[in-house]
Amino acid sequence: MKIKRLNSDTPIEKRRFIYSLVLPIVFLLIAFTVHLIQHIEQIKFTKLGVYPMQAEGLWGILFTPLIHGDWKHLYSNSVSMLVLATTLFYFYNKIAAKIFVFIYLLSGVGTWLAARESWHIGASGVIYGLAMFLIISGIIRKHIPLIAISLLVILFYGGLIWGAFPLKVDLPYSWEGHLWGAVTGSILALVYRREGPHKPKSPFEEEIDVEDYDGEEPYWMQGVDQDKNEDR
């Protein structure tokens, strides 16, 4: 059996979009497999989640985003994960992998360090991290397409912000995981503000490197003084 690879004849934007889907789909396939095993075997992987400040809860930093309480929980996270992760890998393809890994791990680390004494599971922390990275990174880069993406994320996921705060006692979800994900995504947007896509330079802008300037007049200034003297 031959494996069909994308060749050079495939439009570059199409190839880029297809590659952007790879990691999000792999992640979701693993998450669905994990939950299917829970459902079929009637077992719970909850204790593979994060439990703050306990050694047994450290494994959750790796496994928490893959574990969900029920099908509704998994489905709601899956849609957001697919949209946000694909957006990240499409528009920030050069730095997307490390951004995703950092958000995945650091949101879990934050939850382990500071959260309620309970088992914390679900991919919500990663989703909050992706959303905040896309929002802040798009705005600070001053690149119109990225700003548009930021506004779209705010439009569709702006309501998520309330889930990162303890609006009432004994919330049934891990608002701490949401908060640490959002904090991680925001910090990464600032740290990597100089990497990845940037606002393209205007074709009308010309820059002169002072170090390379040899004292000669730029071509558009040559002859100006001479013309002025002749006019006199």
Side-chain angles (χ1 to χ4, degrees), residues 215-229:
E216 295 184 1
E217 293 180 339
Y219 71 89
W220 64 84
M221 292 293 293
Q222 292 177 4
V224 173
D225 292 338
Q226 182 179 351
D227 292 341
K228 286 182 178 179
N229 292 332

Side-chain angles (χ1 to χ4, degrees), residues 61-72:
I61 295 173
L62 294 176
F63 300 133
T64 284
L66 301 171
I67 303 170
H68 294 81
D70 52 43
W71 287 109
K72 182 180 179 181

Side-chain angles (χ1 to χ4, degrees), residues 102-131:
F102 279 140
I103 291 175
Y104 187 104
L105 296 176
L106 294 179
S107 58
V109 170
T111 305
W112 188 82
L113 290 173
R116 287 170 292 173
E117 294 185 357
S118 178
W119 292 102
H120 298 256
I121 59 173
S124 299
V126 179
I127 290 169
Y128 272 74
L130 293 172

Side-chain angles (χ1 to χ4, degrees), residues 96-223:
K98 56 185 175 184
I99 294 298
F100 187 90
V101 171
F102 279 140
I103 291 175
Y104 187 104
L105 296 176
L106 294 179
S107 58
V109 170
T111 305
W112 188 82
L113 290 173
R116 287 170 292 173
E117 294 185 357
S118 178
W119 292 102
H120 298 256
I121 59 173
S124 299
V126 179
I127 290 169
Y128 272 74
L130 293 172
M132 291 306 298
F133 176 85
L134 292 172
I135 291 170
I136 295 177
S137 185
I139 293 173
I140 64 177
R141 290 169 191 268
K142 299 178 181 179
H143 187 2
I144 292 178
L146 298 180
I147 292 174
I149 292 299
S150 299
L151 295 176
L152 286 174
V153 173
I154 293 172
L155 177 64
F156 289 105
Y157 296 99
L160 289 176
I161 191 67
W162 303 113
F165 298 98
L167 300 180
K168 62 180 182 180
V169 180
D170 296 328
L171 288 171
Y173 56 82
S174 176
W175 65 267
E176 300 95 331
H178 300 174
L179 177 61
W180 283 112
V183 169
T184 300
S186 301
I187 292 175
L188 289 173
L190 296 174
V191 171
Y192 288 96
R193 66 188 181 279
R194 300 188 185 279
E195 295 187 39
H198 286 283
K199 177 183 177 181
K201 292 181 180 179
S202 170
F204 300 104
E205 293 179 357
E206 295 285 347
E207 294 184 0
I208 300 177
D209 192 333
V210 176
E211 294 182 357
D212 295 336
Y213 183 56
D214 57 8
E216 295 184 1
E217 293 180 339
Y219 71 89
W220 64 84
M221 292 293 293
Q222 292 177 4

Side-chain angles (χ1 to χ4, degrees), residues 1-69:
M1 182 179 67
K2 293 184 178 180
I3 299 176
K4 185 178 181 181
R5 300 182 63 182
L6 296 175
N7 56 48
S8 57
D9 295 331
T10 305
I12 187 169
E13 292 302 320
K14 183 178 179 180
R15 280 186 287 154
R16 185 173 174 182
F17 177 71
I18 292 173
Y19 289 139
S20 300
L21 288 169
V22 173
L23 189 142
I25 289 177
V26 170
F27 176 89
L28 293 177
L29 285 174
I30 296 173
F32 269 91
T33 301
V34 168
H35 194 71
L36 186 61
I37 293 172
Q38 287 190 123
H39 180 73
I40 293 175
E41 299 295 332
Q42 292 297 302
I43 57 177
K44 292 290 184 181
F45 292 140
T46 304
K47 291 190 177 181
L48 287 177
V50 168
Y51 198 98
M53 300 305 292
Q54 297 293 326
E56 60 182 341
L58 280 171
W59 287 107
I61 295 173
L62 294 176
F63 300 133
T64 284
L66 301 171
I67 303 170
H68 294 81

